Amino acid sequence: MSNSGYHVLSELETIQYVKKIPGLFSENALLICKELGDGNLNLVFRITEKGTSGKSIIIKQALPYARVVGESWPLTLDRSRIESDALMIQNILCPGLVPKVYLYDKEMSLTIMEDLSTHINMRKGLITRNQYPHFAKHIGTFLARTLFLTSDLALEPQYKKQKVVKFINLELCKITEDLVFTDPYYDATTNQFNPLMKEVIKEIWDHAELKLEITKLKERFLTHAQALIHGDLHTGSIMVTEKDTKVIDPEFAFYGPMGFDIGNVVANLLLNFCAHEGCSLDQKERLQYQDYLLNIVEEIWTIFEKEFRALWKGNESSFYASVQGYDDDYILRLLQDTLGYAGCEMMRRVIGLAHVPDLESIDDPKLRAKGERLALAIGQQLVLRRETVWTICDLTALVRYIKNREVDED
Amino acid sequence: MSNSGYHVLSELETIQYVKKIPGLFSENALLICKELGDGNLNLVFRITEKGTSGKSIIIKQALPYARVVGESWPLTLDRSRIESDALMIQNILCPGLVPKVYLYDKEMSLTIMEDLSTHINMRKGLITRNQYPHFAKHIGTFLARTLFLTSDLALEPQYKKQKVVKFINLELCKITEDLVFTDPYYDATTNQFNPLMKEVIKEIWDHAELKLEITKLKERFLTHAQALIHGDLHTGSIMVTEKDTKVIDPEFAFYGPMGFDIGNVVANLLLNFCAHEGCSLDQKERLQYQDYLLNIVEEIWTIFEKEFRALWKGNESSFYASVQGYDDDYILRLLQDTLGYAGCEMMRRVIGLAHVPDLESIDDPKLRAKGERLALAIGQQLVLRRETVWTICDLTALVRYIKNREVDED
């Protein structure tokens, strides 16, 4: 990759850059640029036209290192290509469910895309207990279409393998391999957790069966090139309004196990569920919202499965379509993978480097530990019992059971 | 890939070509070149020095089409790069167990390598009931070392993924996908089988559970980038003397499931086992050789497992090494994959396009059908019962059981 012309943009340079691109803004537009400062890895600029048009765009530029750590953690600029390519594919497969890409500049490692300032980050929405009546339908559809239509179920193997090569994502996969599947399961320096959780976490480090199952899930993450997955589909990668859903930030995209994406969505809803154990709401309101969250989990899977089966049936010419029972078998394995990866995500968000604001926003460490303990209990059981689960309701029943058990213990 | 200078060599041109390469033969050597004519896909020339030196080499040149079919089946010349790269890697991992590569010429898509005219094709050796006392040790070691040392068990994931890309092998994988996993399971035009087998084969085409399991094995072949496998490791890809073993022809190499390679070795020994049901030997001699074959199967796995575990233990710094029970779990899954892929290979060699001389050399179709029927019976049960097997002796016991059952039915 040639990036000889690459340099990090300032806000002023970004305006100059944008002005040179025909069709974005009128020639005499007065533009305001602000770097939003909320990226872990990248610069994110919003450019707004002053005046009544209200027109705005986002420019996301990759830095040659991880912003959250600094230049000591170099990262390839190529992730910018992966992100824009993934967005373009997702936009074809699920029009309207990802931001539109206006331009990708390889040399500058930047992507100009639709501004979503009318949307809020789904995680923030869940923390303030908003409800999103269309979210399950949108994300279930997004998952079914992006996963099915990039897999061997829909593509000729030869074509799919070319995509596997295009989306080899060495460095960002390594982040996941380390921070999700490795570091949380021993006393790694990257871990940072609530000191009150130390005893429970030590039990996890000593839990041989759990570590074996985590390793099998890691092996699958490393070897199972099933579909072009988003790779980082937590609720912070989803922007919502009451009516709309947009999935953003697919820079971790690669060919991996479908259940990793579905599991990440489920886990982050469950992490919010757990955080509610540590909040100071009255019990009724808390239980209602927790019920709402479990209902969305069920609804997401139900919609996902329905859409996935419809795509399967619509693909009658494929060899797979005629194999009796293959759809049921495939979908059951997806559900079990989903549980496994959801469990990994829940545990690493309590033990590892990157925590979630749902729990972190609870100031009192004792209250936070209540939610964290529940997250670890659910995460463990999702991993350990994933192969005993047959329907999505088995999952939500398991969550309710563990919650009641943990709460009784208090 | 640039192949602008590529042209198909004649025997005379091959001599001229070789003479230009320093270090192979002396300047005034009198060379004889013969195209051996036994390749399905390629030209294979042997160049011998006249006189007492007896020096000889092999030149293998890829054709831009499959030789066995003709120009109507175009094939990329890039398979020549894959073959020479795989040979070089295998030679580093298992010195002496593959032919030495002297030169790879990308432009001409040819590889100059060690001549093995002192060896015979293992399949021919088995057909004439030779015994190879070192074979199990050699092939078990080859499998353990090539598979373990190219997998995530030994390599950094980032490095391994670069190898995955290098060994993407679109066209040759497609041949396997079609001829092993797809065409034999319906009435495809590529199939060609003994007309006496028609009823049994129709039962297979109607066997829903079997087709589901074949599809799952195909899915794994398409998605499971576990190790750099040989990809075509039947007994015709192995050259032997009583003391030596050389694995040849890795042009189907790619990152796939380890069990595919081990299964192909096992299946081709079992196909010879089955062919003995149709031979006219006296019973005692036949049973003795069949016992010998099952003993080698057990010995190969035992040596493979021992060597694989030794590599596992030797790799103490890896994350895996410390995960209790992961080795047992991994190896059991390998054994079960081995059975599944062995079953696929046995069935496709009876139903599909490419048969094995072990069975084809039986002239009488009725006698041949005895062997073929046993091969299909064993093949099916290996696929269907693979997850009930825990040791290699469960496999050989299953083979004996099916043989006794089938023979009783006669």
Side-chain angles (χ1 to χ4, degrees), chain A residues 158 161 173-174 177 216 219 222-225 320 326 329 333, chain B residues 158 161 173-174 177 216 219 222-225 320 326 329 333:
Chain A
Q158 298 196 54
K161 285 173 196 171
C173 281
K174 182 170 164 51
E177 290 152 18
K216 285 156 72 175
E219 177 192 320
L222 287 170
T223 57
H224 193 54
Y320 297 109
Y326 186 46
D329 180 88
R333 286 184 284 132
Chain B
Q158 299 197 53
K161 284 173 198 172
C173 281
K174 181 169 165 51
E177 290 152 19
K216 284 156 73 175
E219 177 192 320
L222 288 170
T223 56
H224 193 54
Y320 298 109
Y326 186 47
D329 180 87
R333 286 183 284 133

PDB file of all heavy atoms in Angstrom, chain A residues 158 161 173-174 177 216 219 222-225 320 326 329 333, chain B residues 158 161 173-174 177 216 219 222-225 320 326 329 333:
ATOM      1  N   GLN A 158     -14.999 -19.828  -4.590  1.00  0.00           N
ATOM      2  CA  GLN A 158     -13.833 -19.143  -5.157  1.00  0.00           C
ATOM      3  C   GLN A 158     -13.916 -17.638  -4.930  1.00  0.00           C
ATOM      4  O   GLN A 158     -12.925 -16.976  -4.630  1.00  0.00           O
ATOM      5  CB  GLN A 158     -13.706 -19.422  -6.651  1.00  0.00           C
ATOM      6  CG  GLN A 158     -13.501 -20.891  -6.942  1.00  0.00           C
ATOM      7  CD  GLN A 158     -12.985 -21.134  -8.344  1.00  0.00           C
ATOM      8  OE1 GLN A 158     -11.973 -20.575  -8.743  1.00  0.00           O
ATOM      9  NE2 GLN A 158     -13.668 -21.961  -9.090  1.00  0.00           N
ATOM     10  N   LYS A 161     -13.399 -16.861  -1.193  1.00  0.00           N
ATOM     11  CA  LYS A 161     -12.004 -16.917  -0.740  1.00  0.00           C
ATOM     12  C   LYS A 161     -11.231 -15.660  -1.129  1.00  0.00           C
ATOM     13  O   LYS A 161     -10.312 -15.244  -0.420  1.00  0.00           O
ATOM     14  CB  LYS A 161     -11.324 -18.170  -1.312  1.00  0.00           C
ATOM     15  CG  LYS A 161     -11.767 -19.430  -0.591  1.00  0.00           C
ATOM     16  CD  LYS A 161     -11.229 -20.673  -1.269  1.00  0.00           C
ATOM     17  CE  LYS A 161     -11.993 -21.894  -0.785  1.00  0.00           C
ATOM     18  NZ  LYS A 161     -11.686 -23.095  -1.540  1.00  0.00           N
ATOM     19  N   CYS A 173      -7.420  -8.091  14.394  1.00  0.00           N
ATOM     20  CA  CYS A 173      -7.747  -9.411  14.948  1.00  0.00           C
ATOM     21  C   CYS A 173      -6.879  -9.714  16.161  1.00  0.00           C
ATOM     22  O   CYS A 173      -7.349 -10.295  17.139  1.00  0.00           O
ATOM     23  CB  CYS A 173      -7.557 -10.505  13.897  1.00  0.00           C
ATOM     24  SG  CYS A 173      -8.922 -10.607  12.727  1.00  0.00           S
ATOM     25  N   LYS A 174      -5.611  -9.315  16.088  1.00  0.00           N
ATOM     26  CA  LYS A 174      -4.727  -9.587  17.225  1.00  0.00           C
ATOM     27  C   LYS A 174      -5.225  -8.888  18.495  1.00  0.00           C
ATOM     28  O   LYS A 174      -5.134  -9.450  19.592  1.00  0.00           O
ATOM     29  CB  LYS A 174      -3.290  -9.153  16.910  1.00  0.00           C
ATOM     30  CG  LYS A 174      -2.342  -9.481  18.070  1.00  0.00           C
ATOM     31  CD  LYS A 174      -0.887  -9.300  17.725  1.00  0.00           C
ATOM     32  CE  LYS A 174      -0.003  -9.241  18.976  1.00  0.00           C
ATOM     33  NZ  LYS A 174      -0.207 -10.332  19.931  1.00  0.00           N
ATOM     34  N   GLU A 177      -7.888 -11.138  19.709  1.00  0.00           N
ATOM     35  CA  GLU A 177      -7.315 -12.394  20.218  1.00  0.00           C
ATOM     36  C   GLU A 177      -6.738 -12.186  21.620  1.00  0.00           C
ATOM     37  O   GLU A 177      -6.961 -13.002  22.520  1.00  0.00           O
ATOM     38  CB  GLU A 177      -6.218 -12.890  19.261  1.00  0.00           C
ATOM     39  CG  GLU A 177      -6.775 -13.392  17.924  1.00  0.00           C
ATOM     40  CD  GLU A 177      -5.774 -13.247  16.761  1.00  0.00           C
ATOM     41  OE1 GLU A 177      -4.561 -13.089  17.027  1.00  0.00           O
ATOM     42  OE2 GLU A 177      -6.213 -13.264  15.600  1.00  0.00           O
ATOM     43  N   LYS A 216     -11.253 -23.114  23.014  1.00  0.00           N
ATOM     44  CA  LYS A 216     -11.919 -23.648  21.823  1.00  0.00           C
ATOM     45  C   LYS A 216     -12.613 -22.518  21.048  1.00  0.00           C
ATOM     46  O   LYS A 216     -12.601 -22.497  19.811  1.00  0.00           O
ATOM     47  CB  LYS A 216     -12.918 -24.733  22.219  1.00  0.00           C
ATOM     48  CG  LYS A 216     -12.225 -26.048  22.593  1.00  0.00           C
ATOM     49  CD  LYS A 216     -13.045 -26.940  23.502  1.00  0.00           C
ATOM     50  CE  LYS A 216     -14.217 -27.590  22.802  1.00  0.00           C
ATOM     51  NZ  LYS A 216     -14.905 -28.545  23.733  1.00  0.00           N
ATOM     52  N   GLU A 219      -9.882 -20.682  19.256  1.00  0.00           N
ATOM     53  CA  GLU A 219      -9.468 -21.461  18.086  1.00  0.00           C
ATOM     54  C   GLU A 219     -10.415 -21.216  16.918  1.00  0.00           C
ATOM     55  O   GLU A 219      -9.992 -21.017  15.775  1.00  0.00           O
ATOM     56  CB  GLU A 219      -9.479 -22.957  18.452  1.00  0.00           C
ATOM     57  CG  GLU A 219      -9.142 -23.886  17.299  1.00  0.00           C
ATOM     58  CD  GLU A 219      -9.461 -25.356  17.624  1.00  0.00           C
ATOM     59  OE1 GLU A 219      -9.217 -25.789  18.763  1.00  0.00           O
ATOM     60  OE2 GLU A 219      -9.979 -26.050  16.731  1.00  0.00           O
ATOM     61  N   LEU A 222      -9.883 -17.936  15.380  1.00  0.00           N
ATOM     62  CA  LEU A 222      -8.656 -17.904  14.571  1.00  0.00           C
ATOM     63  C   LEU A 222      -8.789 -18.654  13.247  1.00  0.00           C
ATOM     64  O   LEU A 222      -8.047 -18.366  12.301  1.00  0.00           O
ATOM     65  CB  LEU A 222      -7.496 -18.552  15.351  1.00  0.00           C
ATOM     66  CG  LEU A 222      -6.903 -17.767  16.508  1.00  0.00           C
ATOM     67  CD1 LEU A 222      -5.947 -18.653  17.302  1.00  0.00           C
ATOM     68  CD2 LEU A 222      -6.173 -16.530  16.006  1.00  0.00           C
ATOM     69  N   THR A 223      -9.652 -19.645  13.189  1.00  0.00           N
ATOM     70  CA  THR A 223      -9.624 -20.543  12.031  1.00  0.00           C
ATOM     71  C   THR A 223     -10.897 -20.582  11.200  1.00  0.00           C
ATOM     72  O   THR A 223     -10.851 -21.048  10.068  1.00  0.00           O
ATOM     73  CB  THR A 223      -9.376 -22.011  12.485  1.00  0.00           C
ATOM     74  OG1 THR A 223     -10.390 -22.367  13.419  1.00  0.00           O
ATOM     75  CG2 THR A 223      -8.018 -22.188  13.116  1.00  0.00           C
ATOM     76  N   HIS A 224     -12.024 -20.119  11.748  1.00  0.00           N
ATOM     77  CA  HIS A 224     -13.304 -20.404  11.100  1.00  0.00           C
ATOM     78  C   HIS A 224     -13.758 -19.241  10.214  1.00  0.00           C
ATOM     79  O   HIS A 224     -14.477 -18.339  10.648  1.00  0.00           O
ATOM     80  CB  HIS A 224     -14.346 -20.697  12.186  1.00  0.00           C
ATOM     81  CG  HIS A 224     -15.600 -21.306  11.662  1.00  0.00           C
ATOM     82  ND1 HIS A 224     -15.613 -22.445  10.901  1.00  0.00           N
ATOM     83  CD2 HIS A 224     -16.896 -20.941  11.775  1.00  0.00           C
ATOM     84  CE1 HIS A 224     -16.861 -22.746  10.572  1.00  0.00           C
ATOM     85  NE2 HIS A 224     -17.653 -21.836  11.087  1.00  0.00           N
ATOM     86  N   ALA A 225     -13.351 -19.289   8.953  1.00  0.00           N
ATOM     87  CA  ALA A 225     -13.652 -18.198   8.015  1.00  0.00           C
ATOM     88  C   ALA A 225     -15.060 -18.374   7.450  1.00  0.00           C
ATOM     89  O   ALA A 225     -15.248 -18.756   6.312  1.00  0.00           O
ATOM     90  CB  ALA A 225     -12.611 -18.171   6.902  1.00  0.00           C
ATOM     91  N   TYR A 320     -26.661 -26.489  -0.882  1.00  0.00           N
ATOM     92  CA  TYR A 320     -27.089 -26.571   0.508  1.00  0.00           C
ATOM     93  C   TYR A 320     -28.605 -26.658   0.652  1.00  0.00           C
ATOM     94  O   TYR A 320     -29.119 -27.342   1.520  1.00  0.00           O
ATOM     95  CB  TYR A 320     -26.640 -25.317   1.257  1.00  0.00           C
ATOM     96  CG  TYR A 320     -25.172 -25.170   1.305  1.00  0.00           C
ATOM     97  CD1 TYR A 320     -24.533 -24.184   0.572  1.00  0.00           C
ATOM     98  CD2 TYR A 320     -24.409 -26.035   2.078  1.00  0.00           C
ATOM     99  CE1 TYR A 320     -23.163 -24.051   0.618  1.00  0.00           C
ATOM    100  CE2 TYR A 320     -23.035 -25.906   2.116  1.00  0.00           C
ATOM    101  CZ  TYR A 320     -22.416 -24.920   1.391  1.00  0.00           C
ATOM    102  OH  TYR A 320     -21.069 -24.800   1.429  1.00  0.00           O
ATOM    103  N   TYR A 326     -30.024 -29.442   7.100  1.00  0.00           N
ATOM    104  CA  TYR A 326     -28.788 -28.668   7.227  1.00  0.00           C
ATOM    105  C   TYR A 326     -29.068 -27.279   7.799  1.00  0.00           C
ATOM    106  O   TYR A 326     -28.288 -26.771   8.615  1.00  0.00           O
ATOM    107  CB  TYR A 326     -28.098 -28.557   5.863  1.00  0.00           C
ATOM    108  CG  TYR A 326     -26.727 -27.906   5.890  1.00  0.00           C
ATOM    109  CD1 TYR A 326     -25.786 -28.263   6.844  1.00  0.00           C
ATOM    110  CD2 TYR A 326     -26.385 -26.938   4.960  1.00  0.00           C
ATOM    111  CE1 TYR A 326     -24.538 -27.670   6.868  1.00  0.00           C
ATOM    112  CE2 TYR A 326     -25.134 -26.341   4.972  1.00  0.00           C
ATOM    113  CZ  TYR A 326     -24.217 -26.708   5.935  1.00  0.00           C
ATOM    114  OH  TYR A 326     -22.985 -26.111   5.946  1.00  0.00           O
ATOM    115  N   ASP A 329     -29.531 -27.618  11.584  1.00  0.00           N
ATOM    116  CA  ASP A 329     -28.245 -27.922  12.204  1.00  0.00           C
ATOM    117  C   ASP A 329     -27.355 -26.681  12.225  1.00  0.00           C
ATOM    118  O   ASP A 329     -26.722 -26.362  13.237  1.00  0.00           O
ATOM    119  CB  ASP A 329     -27.581 -29.050  11.397  1.00  0.00           C
ATOM    120  CG  ASP A 329     -26.240 -29.444  11.965  1.00  0.00           C
ATOM    121  OD1 ASP A 329     -26.225 -30.307  12.851  1.00  0.00           O
ATOM    122  OD2 ASP A 329     -25.215 -28.869  11.554  1.00  0.00           O
ATOM    123  N   ARG A 333     -26.059 -24.550  15.584  1.00  0.00           N
ATOM    124  CA  ARG A 333     -24.640 -24.293  15.873  1.00  0.00           C
ATOM    125  C   ARG A 333     -24.380 -22.785  15.988  1.00  0.00           C
ATOM    126  O   ARG A 333     -23.569 -22.345  16.808  1.00  0.00           O
ATOM    127  CB  ARG A 333     -23.759 -24.931  14.808  1.00  0.00           C
ATOM    128  CG  ARG A 333     -23.682 -26.458  14.945  1.00  0.00           C
ATOM    129  CD  ARG A 333     -22.727 -27.097  13.941  1.00  0.00           C
ATOM    130  NE  ARG A 333     -23.294 -27.167  12.609  1.00  0.00           N
ATOM    131  CZ  ARG A 333     -22.679 -26.783  11.499  1.00  0.00           C
ATOM    132  NH1 ARG A 333     -21.459 -26.273  11.554  1.00  0.00           N
ATOM    133  NH2 ARG A 333     -23.266 -26.888  10.317  1.00  0.00           N
TER     134      ARG A 333
ATOM    135  N   GLN B 158      -0.713 -13.919  13.353  1.00  0.00           N
ATOM    136  CA  GLN B 158      -0.500 -12.961  12.258  1.00  0.00           C
ATOM    137  C   GLN B 158       0.340 -13.576  11.148  1.00  0.00           C
ATOM    138  O   GLN B 158       0.084 -13.363   9.967  1.00  0.00           O
ATOM    139  CB  GLN B 158       0.194 -11.698  12.770  1.00  0.00           C
ATOM    140  CG  GLN B 158      -0.621 -10.974  13.810  1.00  0.00           C
ATOM    141  CD  GLN B 158      -0.150  -9.538  14.009  1.00  0.00           C
ATOM    142  OE1 GLN B 158      -0.042  -8.776  13.074  1.00  0.00           O
ATOM    143  NE2 GLN B 158       0.141  -9.185  15.237  1.00  0.00           N
ATOM    144  N   LYS B 161      -1.745 -16.221   9.280  1.00  0.00           N
ATOM    145  CA  LYS B 161      -2.731 -15.661   8.342  1.00  0.00           C
ATOM    146  C   LYS B 161      -2.081 -15.231   7.032  1.00  0.00           C
ATOM    147  O   LYS B 161      -2.698 -15.295   5.969  1.00  0.00           O
ATOM    148  CB  LYS B 161      -3.467 -14.492   8.987  1.00  0.00           C
ATOM    149  CG  LYS B 161      -4.493 -14.951   9.989  1.00  0.00           C
ATOM    150  CD  LYS B 161      -5.106 -13.789  10.761  1.00  0.00           C
ATOM    151  CE  LYS B 161      -5.771 -14.327  12.016  1.00  0.00           C
ATOM    152  NZ  LYS B 161      -6.226 -13.247  12.897  1.00  0.00           N
ATOM    153  N   CYS B 173      -8.848 -26.296  -4.973  1.00  0.00           N
ATOM    154  CA  CYS B 173      -9.856 -26.563  -3.940  1.00  0.00           C
ATOM    155  C   CYS B 173     -11.212 -26.831  -4.575  1.00  0.00           C
ATOM    156  O   CYS B 173     -11.958 -27.700  -4.118  1.00  0.00           O
ATOM    157  CB  CYS B 173      -9.969 -25.377  -2.978  1.00  0.00           C
ATOM    158  SG  CYS B 173      -8.659 -25.331  -1.755  1.00  0.00           S
ATOM    159  N   LYS B 174     -11.516 -26.098  -5.637  1.00  0.00           N
ATOM    160  CA  LYS B 174     -12.824 -26.312  -6.292  1.00  0.00           C
ATOM    161  C   LYS B 174     -12.939 -27.743  -6.829  1.00  0.00           C
ATOM    162  O   LYS B 174     -14.010 -28.360  -6.754  1.00  0.00           O
ATOM    163  CB  LYS B 174     -13.042 -25.307  -7.417  1.00  0.00           C
ATOM    164  CG  LYS B 174     -14.395 -25.497  -8.097  1.00  0.00           C
ATOM    165  CD  LYS B 174     -14.774 -24.380  -9.027  1.00  0.00           C
ATOM    166  CE  LYS B 174     -15.936 -24.776  -9.948  1.00  0.00           C
ATOM    167  NZ  LYS B 174     -17.108 -25.341  -9.259  1.00  0.00           N
ATOM    168  N   GLU B 177     -13.814 -29.713  -3.822  1.00  0.00           N
ATOM    169  CA  GLU B 177     -15.182 -29.394  -3.388  1.00  0.00           C
ATOM    170  C   GLU B 177     -16.204 -30.124  -4.266  1.00  0.00           C
ATOM    171  O   GLU B 177     -17.164 -30.711  -3.766  1.00  0.00           O
ATOM    172  CB  GLU B 177     -15.417 -27.876  -3.449  1.00  0.00           C
ATOM    173  CG  GLU B 177     -14.633 -27.098  -2.389  1.00  0.00           C
ATOM    174  CD  GLU B 177     -14.310 -25.658  -2.818  1.00  0.00           C
ATOM    175  OE1 GLU B 177     -14.972 -25.130  -3.736  1.00  0.00           O
ATOM    176  OE2 GLU B 177     -13.376 -25.065  -2.234  1.00  0.00           O
ATOM    177  N   LYS B 216     -21.730 -31.070   6.232  1.00  0.00           N
ATOM    178  CA  LYS B 216     -21.005 -30.465   7.352  1.00  0.00           C
ATOM    179  C   LYS B 216     -19.487 -30.617   7.157  1.00  0.00           C
ATOM    180  O   LYS B 216     -18.714 -29.707   7.472  1.00  0.00           O
ATOM    181  CB  LYS B 216     -21.449 -31.091   8.674  1.00  0.00           C
ATOM    182  CG  LYS B 216     -22.818 -30.584   9.122  1.00  0.00           C
ATOM    183  CD  LYS B 216     -23.549 -31.530  10.052  1.00  0.00           C
ATOM    184  CE  LYS B 216     -22.966 -31.576  11.448  1.00  0.00           C
ATOM    185  NZ  LYS B 216     -23.830 -32.447  12.327  1.00  0.00           N
ATOM    186  N   GLU B 219     -18.529 -28.098   4.570  1.00  0.00           N
ATOM    187  CA  GLU B 219     -18.486 -26.768   5.196  1.00  0.00           C
ATOM    188  C   GLU B 219     -17.148 -26.557   5.908  1.00  0.00           C
ATOM    189  O   GLU B 219     -16.519 -25.508   5.790  1.00  0.00           O
ATOM    190  CB  GLU B 219     -19.640 -26.649   6.201  1.00  0.00           C
ATOM    191  CG  GLU B 219     -19.660 -25.335   6.982  1.00  0.00           C
ATOM    192  CD  GLU B 219     -20.627 -25.389   8.167  1.00  0.00           C
ATOM    193  OE1 GLU B 219     -21.736 -25.950   8.037  1.00  0.00           O
ATOM    194  OE2 GLU B 219     -20.247 -24.877   9.250  1.00  0.00           O
ATOM    195  N   LEU B 222     -14.406 -25.945   3.557  1.00  0.00           N
ATOM    196  CA  LEU B 222     -14.475 -24.594   2.984  1.00  0.00           C
ATOM    197  C   LEU B 222     -14.050 -23.502   3.957  1.00  0.00           C
ATOM    198  O   LEU B 222     -13.621 -22.428   3.532  1.00  0.00           O
ATOM    199  CB  LEU B 222     -15.907 -24.283   2.535  1.00  0.00           C
ATOM    200  CG  LEU B 222     -16.428 -24.987   1.290  1.00  0.00           C
ATOM    201  CD1 LEU B 222     -17.930 -24.750   1.131  1.00  0.00           C
ATOM    202  CD2 LEU B 222     -15.688 -24.482   0.051  1.00  0.00           C
ATOM    203  N   THR B 223     -14.225 -23.742   5.260  1.00  0.00           N
ATOM    204  CA  THR B 223     -14.076 -22.630   6.200  1.00  0.00           C
ATOM    205  C   THR B 223     -12.971 -22.805   7.231  1.00  0.00           C
ATOM    206  O   THR B 223     -12.584 -21.815   7.850  1.00  0.00           O
ATOM    207  CB  THR B 223     -15.383 -22.426   7.010  1.00  0.00           C
ATOM    208  OG1 THR B 223     -15.711 -23.659   7.659  1.00  0.00           O
ATOM    209  CG2 THR B 223     -16.529 -21.980   6.133  1.00  0.00           C
ATOM    210  N   HIS B 224     -12.486 -24.031   7.438  1.00  0.00           N
ATOM    211  CA  HIS B 224     -11.660 -24.280   8.623  1.00  0.00           C
ATOM    212  C   HIS B 224     -10.168 -24.217   8.282  1.00  0.00           C
ATOM    213  O   HIS B 224      -9.544 -25.220   7.950  1.00  0.00           O
ATOM    214  CB  HIS B 224     -12.023 -25.647   9.205  1.00  0.00           C
ATOM    215  CG  HIS B 224     -11.470 -25.875  10.578  1.00  0.00           C
ATOM    216  ND1 HIS B 224     -11.691 -25.014  11.622  1.00  0.00           N
ATOM    217  CD2 HIS B 224     -10.703 -26.869  11.090  1.00  0.00           C
ATOM    218  CE1 HIS B 224     -11.082 -25.468  12.704  1.00  0.00           C
ATOM    219  NE2 HIS B 224     -10.469 -26.588  12.404  1.00  0.00           N
ATOM    220  N   ALA B 225      -9.598 -23.024   8.394  1.00  0.00           N
ATOM    221  CA  ALA B 225      -8.196 -22.805   8.026  1.00  0.00           C
ATOM    222  C   ALA B 225      -7.278 -23.209   9.178  1.00  0.00           C
ATOM    223  O   ALA B 225      -6.707 -22.385   9.873  1.00  0.00           O
ATOM    224  CB  ALA B 225      -7.987 -21.339   7.652  1.00  0.00           C
ATOM    225  N   TYR B 320      -1.636 -22.135  24.584  1.00  0.00           N
ATOM    226  CA  TYR B 320      -2.342 -23.419  24.555  1.00  0.00           C
ATOM    227  C   TYR B 320      -1.762 -24.436  25.522  1.00  0.00           C
ATOM    228  O   TYR B 320      -2.490 -25.219  26.113  1.00  0.00           O
ATOM    229  CB  TYR B 320      -2.241 -24.021  23.157  1.00  0.00           C
ATOM    230  CG  TYR B 320      -2.882 -23.181  22.110  1.00  0.00           C
ATOM    231  CD1 TYR B 320      -2.101 -22.501  21.176  1.00  0.00           C
ATOM    232  CD2 TYR B 320      -4.253 -23.051  22.056  1.00  0.00           C
ATOM    233  CE1 TYR B 320      -2.693 -21.720  20.210  1.00  0.00           C
ATOM    234  CE2 TYR B 320      -4.847 -22.263  21.091  1.00  0.00           C
ATOM    235  CZ  TYR B 320      -4.071 -21.602  20.171  1.00  0.00           C
ATOM    236  OH  TYR B 320      -4.648 -20.824  19.230  1.00  0.00           O
ATOM    237  N   TYR B 326      -6.847 -29.343  26.753  1.00  0.00           N
ATOM    238  CA  TYR B 326      -7.026 -28.869  25.379  1.00  0.00           C
ATOM    239  C   TYR B 326      -6.401 -29.835  24.376  1.00  0.00           C
ATOM    240  O   TYR B 326      -6.956 -30.082  23.308  1.00  0.00           O
ATOM    241  CB  TYR B 326      -6.439 -27.463  25.240  1.00  0.00           C
ATOM    242  CG  TYR B 326      -6.701 -26.807  23.897  1.00  0.00           C
ATOM    243  CD1 TYR B 326      -7.974 -26.814  23.326  1.00  0.00           C
ATOM    244  CD2 TYR B 326      -5.678 -26.171  23.208  1.00  0.00           C
ATOM    245  CE1 TYR B 326      -8.205 -26.206  22.098  1.00  0.00           C
ATOM    246  CE2 TYR B 326      -5.911 -25.557  21.981  1.00  0.00           C
ATOM    247  CZ  TYR B 326      -7.180 -25.585  21.437  1.00  0.00           C
ATOM    248  OH  TYR B 326      -7.402 -24.991  20.228  1.00  0.00           O
ATOM    249  N   ASP B 329      -8.726 -32.810  23.939  1.00  0.00           N
ATOM    250  CA  ASP B 329      -9.913 -32.394  23.198  1.00  0.00           C
ATOM    251  C   ASP B 329      -9.586 -32.178  21.721  1.00  0.00           C
ATOM    252  O   ASP B 329     -10.317 -32.612  20.825  1.00  0.00           O
ATOM    253  CB  ASP B 329     -10.423 -31.085  23.826  1.00  0.00           C
ATOM    254  CG  ASP B 329     -11.659 -30.573  23.133  1.00  0.00           C
ATOM    255  OD1 ASP B 329     -12.757 -30.992  23.530  1.00  0.00           O
ATOM    256  OD2 ASP B 329     -11.535 -29.792  22.179  1.00  0.00           O
ATOM    257  N   ARG B 333     -10.965 -34.425  18.471  1.00  0.00           N
ATOM    258  CA  ARG B 333     -11.657 -33.817  17.321  1.00  0.00           C
ATOM    259  C   ARG B 333     -10.916 -34.136  16.023  1.00  0.00           C
ATOM    260  O   ARG B 333     -11.529 -34.349  14.979  1.00  0.00           O
ATOM    261  CB  ARG B 333     -11.808 -32.308  17.520  1.00  0.00           C
ATOM    262  CG  ARG B 333     -12.882 -31.964  18.557  1.00  0.00           C
ATOM    263  CD  ARG B 333     -13.092 -30.464  18.695  1.00  0.00           C
ATOM    264  NE  ARG B 333     -12.040 -29.811  19.448  1.00  0.00           N
ATOM    265  CZ  ARG B 333     -11.404 -28.701  19.094  1.00  0.00           C
ATOM    266  NH1 ARG B 333     -11.700 -28.102  17.955  1.00  0.00           N
ATOM    267  NH2 ARG B 333     -10.461 -28.184  19.852  1.00  0.00           N
TER     268      ARG B 333
END
